[in-house]
Amino acid sequence: MTRALGVCYYPEHWPEEQWPEDARRMAETGIEWVRIGEFAWSRLEPVPGDLRFDWLDRAIAVLADAGLKIVLGTPTATPPRWMLTRHPDMLAHDAQGRPRGFGSRRHYCLSHMGYREECRRIATLLGERYGRDPRIHAWQIDNEYGCHHTTLSFSPAALNRFRGWLRDRYGTIEALNAAWGNVFWSMEYGAFDEIGLPHLTVTEPNPAHVMAFRRFASDETVAFNRVQVDALRPLTDAPLSHNYMGRVLEFDHFAVGADLEIATWDSYPIGFLSDRLEADAAHKQRFLRQGDPDMQAFHHDLYRAVGRGRWWVMEQQPGPVNWAPFNPAPLDGMVRLWTWEAFAHGAEVVSYFRWRQAPFAQEQMHAGLLRPDSAPAPGLAEAETVAQELAAFPGDATTVQAPVALAFDYASAWAWETQPQGADFDYFRLVFEAYRALRRAGLSVDILPVGAAIPEGYRLVLVPGCAALPAGWAERLAESGAVVILGPRTNAKTPEMATPLPLPPGIPGLDVTVTRVESLPPSEARLVEGGGQVLHWAESLEGGAPVRLAGTGGAPVLVGDGALRYLAGWPDATLWGRILSDCGLPSEALPDGLRLRDLGAWRFAFNYAPEPVTWQGRTLPAAGVAWWLRDTE
Ligand code: GAL
């Protein structure tokens, strides 16, 4: 397996005379890959039909002459201004029904067929010119679907295609009315053309309507991406990729990923801790300059699954970013740590965003590997260190199956966003806390899509919060040889967002029924006998399944004595630890901030703590990374 460094570069931002020096310095740093082109449409086609690929030819030549492999991006995340004149109705609309403005990026509506055709055209032109060019080693389609909340569009184009999607799904309006329960509040429709998008209603719209719209929006993302896949595929043998974002759940990444060879993602650890993670002030302060110890690893494992084993970090934070509420600089050593952590999770390439900090426009406060004046920024030396370490690292380490797996399901994220029932019920948060518990116990984790085949060999599979299990999947889980813990809220909805009857969870072979659910405010915790608490969400159970863990009042919390077990609440960290030891897994937590990851015969350790930690006789400094052969432990 290859492991290499890359960088994101924007030749169109810099005078051409500077390119050779930039390319030389990249190579000298030990960088092997460079991504270009993904926002360059206004320079590739300044006016419609006037194609200017000559500068890109020269940029490719300069970079390749320095020995760099090129990832070429299609520029469709940034349609130029003339595109709007050509397609005035191509803008996405926000939930208030207002068109998005021109002047940043991602302003297009995924459902606009005229814009899709423009994307097909530019992807085809690029494919025809560069598809067989041996200097182009991979492609990136578009940039960060869903970023800046751009999956849902309430535009006339989206409405039109939503109605068609509903017709295909339900066939008749009677079937739709029945599936959605539209008899409630006299919401019945007489024809598909009467249906609107689920917004601007007086109080909440029908959850079935919202869920249908969420599924539609996800399908539109897949369809939008597929236009460019279909354009490029016949024109190139190089792998196609897309760069996903952190904690963006608005579309089914597994479905987009199925059309691509490589999944990549954009990792901004300090920005993410600051702007998209629930954590108390002490945790945010402790990890202020390192990022959360599990957030990067979670996405590495998630996107490894999306890429069916092939994945990269396409954008790695190299210094302070510009977009979070607060933007501190990484602790010395963290750029190296983040990079090695990705390799330990199986990344083929880690590519820094960006080469040089731009002195103009929106991201002028975002660090690069170089300062705006081309002097090295602190991240550069750390990248150089990793390049040297990589060269010395044995090449035979590849990803092996982890002892535990965690199931992930985008549709459950939409279901619980549609009907959270409690302000603190969030699907990502629930799954992420389960992941954190596994990692605090020192375990490497595989993430699997809900419904996937379960390879033999797992000791434990966790399936938290899955709103609707695919038919037959519970039976297959039961036969996987692993202990499987389902819940809370398992099978609590039909795919049409109704309550199933008989009542959930309806798990074959497990005599348990959820008779009542409660959401809890932060002030309320339910104590569990022997230690730990249930927070945010608690279920009352009936049935004969043996109780393994119970609340202090006797209410069952974990039940079942076969392969499949049911969890009737949202555990705190202590309770997660007890659940793991109940399954025979290690329960002793690692020192705070230390994380392990196995790669082949190697064990890696990463210290996210701001102070040194010692574990099993090994001391790691703050931001330290260590690796050793497991059989030397
Ligand atoms: C990413 C994006 C890049 C750049 C970067 C800044 O989300 O793909 O183009 O904006 O963030 O951190």
Side-chain angles (χ1 to χ4, degrees), residues 145-146 151 217-218 221 242 244 248-253 256 410 414:
Y145 294 131
T151 304
S218 179
T221 311
H242 176 74
Y244 306 100
V248 164
L249 308 181
E250 279 78 16
F251 63 93
D252 184 343
H253 292 47
V256 171
Y410 287 92
W414 313 329

Side-chain angles (χ1 to χ4, degrees), residues 10 35 38-39 105 140 143-144 147-148 243 245 266 268 315 317 321-323 353-354 363 366:
Y10 300 91
R35 182 192 64 177
E38 83 277 12
F39 298 130
R105 61 178 170 183
Q140 175 180 298
N143 190 82
E144 289 187 348
C147 190
H148 317 306
N243 58 333
M245 236 305 187
D266 299 341
Y268 292 94
E315 299 180 13
Q317 176 168 2
V321 301
N322 62 305
W323 44 261
F353 182 90
R354 49 187 276 154
E363 292 180 350
H366 191 299

Side-chain angles (χ1 to χ4, degrees), residues 543-561:
V547 178
R548 309 182 74 86
L549 294 171
T552 46
V557 172
L558 182 69
V559 301
D561 58 356

